Amino acid sequence: MTFAQRLAKAVSQHGPLCVGIDPHPGLLDAWGLPRDVPGLERFALTCVEAFGGHVALVKPQAAFFESYGSKGVAVLERVLADLRDAGTAVLVDAKRGDIGSTMAAYAQAYLSDGSPLAGDAVTLSPYLGFGSLEPALEAARASGRGVFVLARTSNPEGASVQCAGVPSGGSVAQSVVDEAARRNAGAEPLGDVGLVVGATLDRLDIDLSDLHGYVLAPGFGAQGATVADLRRLFGDDLRGVLPTSSRDVLRHGPDSASLRSAARRVGDDLGM
């Protein structure tokens, strides 16, 4: 099965919610955990226990693991392995982007069979040119994995780049959408090249109608986005939209049952 086919099956079972694992120092404090590798591991594995087998997609934020050095990365590898054993799809939120052999090395790390850092998909940055991502796209196709490419993010600084015009017409962000759509054409049910589009945008200034792929929509919950915002941005037919909630769920720790219940409540609130 392709990544998109596996994800479609998971969404049909658990709903479209993607839950983040973000071991932010403030959350470690709130959970009464030390800001060290044992605290990180306790936090992350509690999340695995809570979400594994209960949500469609889990998104560990790689930076919060990398900040602890090699031992933190080892915890991330454990998280990926344990979620894989639980049969839960994992999106590694690493936002990698480079050119040539360096991009190929990132692809080997995050999208190749046998790599301890490979989940089911990875986030990528296309702002060295969408074509620079080709090694990752090829690796994803070869291994049955997926990618989520940054398209239109909600941080204020993003607009200066993403909304800039391109010589062929339209915006940089729209060119990213169009490139993703080209690679998803003809796939069933959807293609494996997803996009990241912020759920807290004031308005949607890109056309997603031909994407034929998944849209990861961060910002749902604690960052302010509501179901009404999702429908305002993406329309009433939210097929393929994956709202992401991290701290709105994670604040209910450290009890794994409470975390699972919080994820279920957020998922129920989506009504999707």
Side-chain angles (χ1 to χ4, degrees), residues 12 15 21 35 48 51 62 100 114 148 157 168 172 195 211 226 238 253 265:
S12 70
I21 299 181
R35 296 187 184 187
V48 171
F51 307 137
F148 284 84
E157 305 86 353
S168 58
V172 171
L195 296 177
L211 174 61
T226 65
L238 294 174
R265 285 195 300 273

mmCIF file of all heavy atoms in Angstrom, residues 12 15 21 35 48 51 62 100 114 148 157 168 172 195 211 226 238 253 265:
data_model
loop_
_atom_site.group_PDB
_atom_site.id
_atom_site.type_symbol
_atom_site.label_atom_id
_atom_site.label_comp_id
_atom_site.label_asym_id
_atom_site.label_seq_id
_atom_site.Cartn_x
_atom_site.Cartn_y
_atom_site.Cartn_z
ATOM 1 N N SER A 12 -10.075 6.628 8.305
ATOM 2 C CA SER A 12 -11.411 6.028 8.358
ATOM 3 C C SER A 12 -11.661 5.352 9.703
ATOM 4 O O SER A 12 -12.806 5.279 10.166
ATOM 5 C CB SER A 12 -11.584 5.016 7.221
ATOM 6 O OG SER A 12 -10.782 3.861 7.421
ATOM 7 N N GLY A 15 -10.448 8.927 12.512
ATOM 8 C CA GLY A 15 -10.687 10.336 12.239
ATOM 9 C C GLY A 15 -9.420 11.014 11.762
ATOM 10 O O GLY A 15 -8.334 10.430 11.784
ATOM 11 N N ILE A 21 3.858 15.247 19.057
ATOM 12 C CA ILE A 21 4.661 14.976 20.255
ATOM 13 C C ILE A 21 5.734 16.051 20.288
ATOM 14 O O ILE A 21 6.723 16.004 19.565
ATOM 15 C CB ILE A 21 5.291 13.569 20.232
ATOM 16 C CG1 ILE A 21 4.215 12.489 20.178
ATOM 17 C CG2 ILE A 21 6.171 13.372 21.469
ATOM 18 C CD1 ILE A 21 4.761 11.068 20.166
ATOM 19 N N ARG A 35 14.353 18.620 32.761
ATOM 20 C CA ARG A 35 14.743 18.979 31.396
ATOM 21 C C ARG A 35 16.044 18.268 31.039
ATOM 22 O O ARG A 35 17.090 18.885 30.825
ATOM 23 C CB ARG A 35 14.917 20.486 31.266
ATOM 24 C CG ARG A 35 13.663 21.299 31.489
ATOM 25 C CD ARG A 35 13.931 22.758 31.160
ATOM 26 N NE ARG A 35 12.780 23.618 31.440
ATOM 27 C CZ ARG A 35 12.713 24.911 31.115
ATOM 28 N NH1 ARG A 35 13.758 25.476 30.513
ATOM 29 N NH2 ARG A 35 11.647 25.629 31.402
ATOM 30 N N VAL A 48 3.557 8.021 23.344
ATOM 31 C CA VAL A 48 3.413 6.814 22.518
ATOM 32 C C VAL A 48 2.356 5.896 23.117
ATOM 33 O O VAL A 48 1.488 5.365 22.402
ATOM 34 C CB VAL A 48 4.761 6.081 22.400
ATOM 35 C CG1 VAL A 48 4.568 4.712 21.741
ATOM 36 C CG2 VAL A 48 5.748 6.915 21.603
ATOM 37 N N PHE A 51 -1.165 7.573 22.470
ATOM 38 C CA PHE A 51 -1.675 7.795 21.114
ATOM 39 C C PHE A 51 -1.520 6.599 20.187
ATOM 40 O O PHE A 51 -2.252 6.481 19.201
ATOM 41 C CB PHE A 51 -0.977 8.998 20.482
ATOM 42 C CG PHE A 51 -1.020 10.240 21.316
ATOM 43 C CD1 PHE A 51 0.103 11.047 21.458
ATOM 44 C CD2 PHE A 51 -2.183 10.606 21.983
ATOM 45 C CE1 PHE A 51 0.074 12.192 22.230
ATOM 46 C CE2 PHE A 51 -2.230 11.750 22.772
ATOM 47 C CZ PHE A 51 -1.087 12.547 22.900
ATOM 48 N N ALA A 62 11.026 16.902 15.539
ATOM 49 C CA ALA A 62 12.398 16.431 15.674
ATOM 50 C C ALA A 62 13.291 17.398 16.449
ATOM 51 O O ALA A 62 14.185 16.978 17.176
ATOM 52 C CB ALA A 62 12.986 16.174 14.282
ATOM 53 N N GLY A 100 21.058 18.500 -4.035
ATOM 54 C CA GLY A 100 22.016 17.484 -4.444
ATOM 55 C C GLY A 100 22.228 16.364 -3.452
ATOM 56 O O GLY A 100 21.277 15.779 -2.911
ATOM 57 N N GLY A 114 15.048 0.676 6.662
ATOM 58 C CA GLY A 114 16.215 0.339 7.466
ATOM 59 C C GLY A 114 16.798 1.499 8.244
ATOM 60 O O GLY A 114 17.605 1.285 9.148
ATOM 61 N N PHE A 148 5.291 15.816 3.311
ATOM 62 C CA PHE A 148 4.446 16.992 3.463
ATOM 63 C C PHE A 148 5.331 18.219 3.252
ATOM 64 O O PHE A 148 6.269 18.448 4.019
ATOM 65 C CB PHE A 148 3.772 17.034 4.829
ATOM 66 C CG PHE A 148 2.618 16.081 4.963
ATOM 67 C CD1 PHE A 148 2.834 14.758 5.307
ATOM 68 C CD2 PHE A 148 1.320 16.510 4.714
ATOM 69 C CE1 PHE A 148 1.767 13.868 5.421
ATOM 70 C CE2 PHE A 148 0.249 15.637 4.815
ATOM 71 C CZ PHE A 148 0.474 14.312 5.171
ATOM 72 N N GLU A 157 6.275 35.983 9.123
ATOM 73 C CA GLU A 157 7.429 36.149 8.241
ATOM 74 C C GLU A 157 7.278 35.373 6.934
ATOM 75 O O GLU A 157 7.924 35.687 5.930
ATOM 76 C CB GLU A 157 8.717 35.678 8.948
ATOM 77 C CG GLU A 157 8.989 36.338 10.264
ATOM 78 C CD GLU A 157 8.303 35.659 11.452
ATOM 79 O OE1 GLU A 157 7.491 34.728 11.225
ATOM 80 O OE2 GLU A 157 8.585 36.061 12.593
ATOM 81 N N SER A 168 6.431 33.084 -13.984
ATOM 82 C CA SER A 168 5.366 32.454 -14.769
ATOM 83 C C SER A 168 3.980 32.899 -14.340
ATOM 84 O O SER A 168 2.980 32.545 -14.967
ATOM 85 C CB SER A 168 5.471 30.932 -14.661
ATOM 86 O OG SER A 168 5.380 30.516 -13.307
ATOM 87 N N VAL A 172 4.800 32.156 -5.136
ATOM 88 C CA VAL A 172 5.708 31.048 -4.836
ATOM 89 C C VAL A 172 4.927 29.891 -4.211
ATOM 90 O O VAL A 172 5.100 28.721 -4.584
ATOM 91 C CB VAL A 172 6.832 31.517 -3.888
ATOM 92 C CG1 VAL A 172 7.650 30.326 -3.410
ATOM 93 C CG2 VAL A 172 7.720 32.532 -4.575
ATOM 94 N N LEU A 195 0.789 18.717 1.583
ATOM 95 C CA LEU A 195 1.240 20.083 1.827
ATOM 96 C C LEU A 195 0.970 20.478 3.271
ATOM 97 O O LEU A 195 0.078 19.919 3.921
ATOM 98 C CB LEU A 195 0.511 21.064 0.906
ATOM 99 C CG LEU A 195 0.740 20.916 -0.595
ATOM 100 C CD1 LEU A 195 -0.116 21.928 -1.353
ATOM 101 C CD2 LEU A 195 2.212 21.084 -0.958
ATOM 102 N N LEU A 211 -4.973 19.740 -6.022
ATOM 103 C CA LEU A 211 -3.871 19.106 -5.286
ATOM 104 C C LEU A 211 -3.956 17.592 -5.295
ATOM 105 O O LEU A 211 -2.959 16.895 -5.489
ATOM 106 C CB LEU A 211 -3.848 19.609 -3.844
ATOM 107 C CG LEU A 211 -2.836 18.915 -2.926
ATOM 108 C CD1 LEU A 211 -1.419 19.116 -3.428
ATOM 109 C CD2 LEU A 211 -2.989 19.389 -1.491
ATOM 110 N N THR A 226 -10.219 26.941 14.798
ATOM 111 C CA THR A 226 -11.421 26.180 15.145
ATOM 112 C C THR A 226 -11.905 25.413 13.921
ATOM 113 O O THR A 226 -11.389 25.581 12.812
ATOM 114 C CB THR A 226 -12.534 27.126 15.614
ATOM 115 O OG1 THR A 226 -12.914 27.967 14.504
ATOM 116 C CG2 THR A 226 -12.061 27.995 16.775
ATOM 117 N N LEU A 238 -13.957 18.621 3.781
ATOM 118 C CA LEU A 238 -12.619 18.633 4.376
ATOM 119 C C LEU A 238 -11.865 17.328 4.123
ATOM 120 O O LEU A 238 -10.923 17.000 4.850
ATOM 121 C CB LEU A 238 -12.725 18.904 5.870
ATOM 122 C CG LEU A 238 -13.256 20.294 6.240
ATOM 123 C CD1 LEU A 238 -13.453 20.400 7.743
ATOM 124 C CD2 LEU A 238 -12.336 21.392 5.738
ATOM 125 N N GLY A 253 -1.260 15.947 30.119
ATOM 126 C CA GLY A 253 -0.378 14.958 30.722
ATOM 127 C C GLY A 253 -0.079 15.297 32.172
ATOM 128 O O GLY A 253 -0.524 16.325 32.694
ATOM 129 N N ARG A 265 -11.376 13.769 22.645
ATOM 130 C CA ARG A 265 -12.292 14.917 22.703
ATOM 131 C C ARG A 265 -12.019 15.886 21.559
ATOM 132 O O ARG A 265 -12.953 16.385 20.928
ATOM 133 C CB ARG A 265 -12.144 15.649 24.042
ATOM 134 C CG ARG A 265 -12.779 14.921 25.221
ATOM 135 C CD ARG A 265 -12.913 15.862 26.402
ATOM 136 N NE ARG A 265 -11.626 16.397 26.849
ATOM 137 C CZ ARG A 265 -10.825 15.790 27.727
ATOM 138 N NH1 ARG A 265 -11.179 14.627 28.236
ATOM 139 N NH2 ARG A 265 -9.683 16.354 28.078
#
